[in-house]
Amino acid sequence: MGRASVSHGRPALRVRGHGVPHGNGAAGLPRGLIVLLGLAGAVVAVAGLRIFAEVLAPVFLALMLTVTASPLGAWLIRRGAPAWLAATALVAVVYAVLIALGAALAVSVARLVALMPQYQDRLADLRASASGALTGLGLDAGRAGDLTASITPGAVADAVQSLLGGLLATASNAVFLLAVLLFLCLDAVSFPARLHSAAVERPEVVGALRSFAGGTRRYLLVSTIFGLIVAVMDTLALWALDIPLPVLWGLLSFITNYIPNIGFVVGLVPPALLGLLEGGVPLMTMVIVLYSVVNFVIQSVIQPKIVGDAVGLSATASFLSLVFWTWVLGPLGALLAIPLSLLTKGLLVDADPRTRWIDSLISSGPPRSRRRAAGLPAPGQR
C-alpha cells in the first residue's frame, strides 16, 4: 500500500515541478518560435492599424483629449455636482478647445491662400533665377524649365496646406470626431469608479491604464507650456522681421511643438518661404537662424529631456515612436506619437510583471521612482 502511494505520488511531483503550468500552453514552445509568433502577430496588428488609419487616428485624438480633460469631470463629482452636469461641462470644454483651434487654423490658412497671388511677380523671378542656375550647371534648358514650372502661388499654398494635412484631414472628418468625443466624455465621468472596481481583480492592468493617463497628462502639460513659450517668441520675432501672418506661424509653432524632436522643422518651412518671397535669401536666412536658435534649443534640447523625465520615455524611444506612428497613422500620428507609445507601453509592458524589465530599456529616469509615480508595484511585488 505504501509503495502504491509513493508510485502514485511521483507523477504529481513531476507535474508540479516540470509540467506545463495551468493556463500557459506556450511554456513548452521553443523561445525562438515564441518570438517569431509574437513578431508575426505584431506585423498583422500594425497592418490592421494602417488599413484603418483614417478611422483610428480621430479616435486616438478623441481619447487623448478626453484623458486630458477628464480630471475636470472628477473634480466636479467630488464637489457634489451631478453626473450629467459633470459630463456636460467636460463635453463643452473639449468641444470649445477643439472648435477654437480648428477655426483659427481655417481662418489663417484662408488668409494665406488669399495672400499668395500677391507674390506672382516674385515667384516668376525666382523661377527664372532657378532655371538659369540649373542651366548654368549644365542642365538642358527645357529640362530646367520643367523642374522649375511648379514654382507658382498655387503650388506654394498647396505645400503649406500639406504641412497641416493631418489637422485638415481631421477637420474634414469633424462630425465623426465630435461624436466619438461626446461618447468618450460621457463615459469618462463614471470611468474612475469602474476602474476602482476592476482593480480588485486586475490591479496590474488598472495600474497600467492609470500610468498611461497620468503620463499623457504630464506630457501634454509640459508640451503646452513649452509650446506657448515658443509660439510667443516666434510670433514676436516674425513680427519684428515683418513676415506676413506672424500669428498663424506662431500658432503652427504651438501645434508642431507636440511633435517630438523635429516639430520645429515643420513649423519653420512656411515662414522661411515667405521670408524668401518678401526679402530674398537674406531675410529667409534670418528667419531660419532665429527659429534654429529659439526652437532648436527649446524643442530639441531642453524639452525632450523634461518630457522624457515626465513620461518615462528615453529620447531615442520618443524619436522612434514619432517615426513609427507617423508611418502607421499619417500626419496626425506625429502629434499622437507620445500618448500612443504610452498606451502601448502600458498595455504590453506595465500590465504584465514578466515584461516590466523592458521598462528599464526604453525609459528615462530612475525605475523605482517611475513605478511609485505610476502606482505600479516594484519588481517582485504583487
Side-chain angles (χ1 to χ4, degrees), residues 187-262:
D187 285 338
V189 175
S190 61
F191 198 69
R194 284 183 279 173
L195 275 181
H196 183 73
S197 300
V200 178
E201 295 292 334
R202 292 291 184 269
E204 303 288 348
V205 176
V206 172
L209 292 176
R210 288 173 175 165
S211 175
F212 153 70
T216 299
R217 295 188 192 107
R218 290 191 297 271
Y219 162 72
L220 290 176
L221 176 62
V222 173
S223 297
T224 300
I225 293 173
F226 277 99
L228 290 173
I229 295 172
V230 168
V232 171
M233 297 179 69
D234 287 343
T235 301
L236 293 176
L238 295 175
W239 176 78
L241 294 175
D242 203 23
I243 300 296
L245 305 177
V247 176
L248 169 61
W249 311 130
L251 178 63
L252 182 60
S253 295
F254 175 76
I255 295 173
T256 56
N257 188 66
Y258 294 101
I259 302 177
N261 303 107
I262 63 169

Side-chain angles (χ1 to χ4, degrees), residues 1-226:
M1 180 69 71
R3 291 181 181 178
S5 299
V6 172
S7 62
H8 286 304
R10 285 177 181 174
L13 290 175
R14 284 198 296 269
V15 169
R16 287 195 298 268
H18 304 285
V20 177
H22 179 70
N24 189 8
L29 297 177
R31 184 176 298 274
L33 180 58
I34 295 175
V35 172
L36 288 177
L37 291 175
L39 290 175
V43 169
V44 173
V46 172
L49 289 174
R50 293 201 67 185
I51 292 174
F52 296 101
E54 293 185 0
V55 175
L56 291 177
V59 171
F60 287 139
L61 176 59
L63 175 63
M64 184 186 71
L65 294 173
T66 304
V67 167
T68 304
S70 59
L72 172 62
W75 179 81
L76 290 174
I77 293 292
R78 288 195 302 269
R79 293 287 180 175
W84 67 266
L85 180 59
T88 302
L90 188 60
V91 171
V93 169
V94 174
Y95 275 22
V97 172
L98 196 62
I99 292 174
L101 182 61
L105 283 173
V107 171
S108 300
V109 171
R111 290 184 59 191
L112 175 64
V113 173
L115 188 65
M116 282 296 103
Q118 301 179 16
Y119 296 104
Q120 289 184 355
D121 295 338
R122 180 59 180 163
L123 285 171
D125 295 339
L126 287 174
R127 184 167 57 245
S129 300
S131 179
L134 292 175
T135 304
L137 293 175
L139 194 66
D140 179 73
R143 180 59 177 167
D146 294 337
L147 292 176
T148 58
S150 60
I151 305 179
T152 62
V156 174
D158 292 341
V160 173
Q161 290 185 46
S162 67
L163 293 174
L164 305 172
L167 296 172
L168 295 176
T170 302
S172 66
N173 203 13
V175 175
F176 175 68
L177 175 62
L178 294 177
V180 175
L181 270 173
L182 173 63
F183 292 113
L184 285 177
C185 289
L186 293 176
D187 285 338
V189 175
S190 61
F191 198 69
R194 284 183 279 173
L195 275 181
H196 183 73
S197 300
V200 178
E201 295 292 334
R202 292 291 184 269
E204 303 288 348
V205 176
V206 172
L209 292 176
R210 288 173 175 165
S211 175
F212 153 70
T216 299
R217 295 188 192 107
R218 290 191 297 271
Y219 162 72
L220 290 176
L221 176 62
V222 173
S223 297
T224 300
I225 293 173
F226 277 99

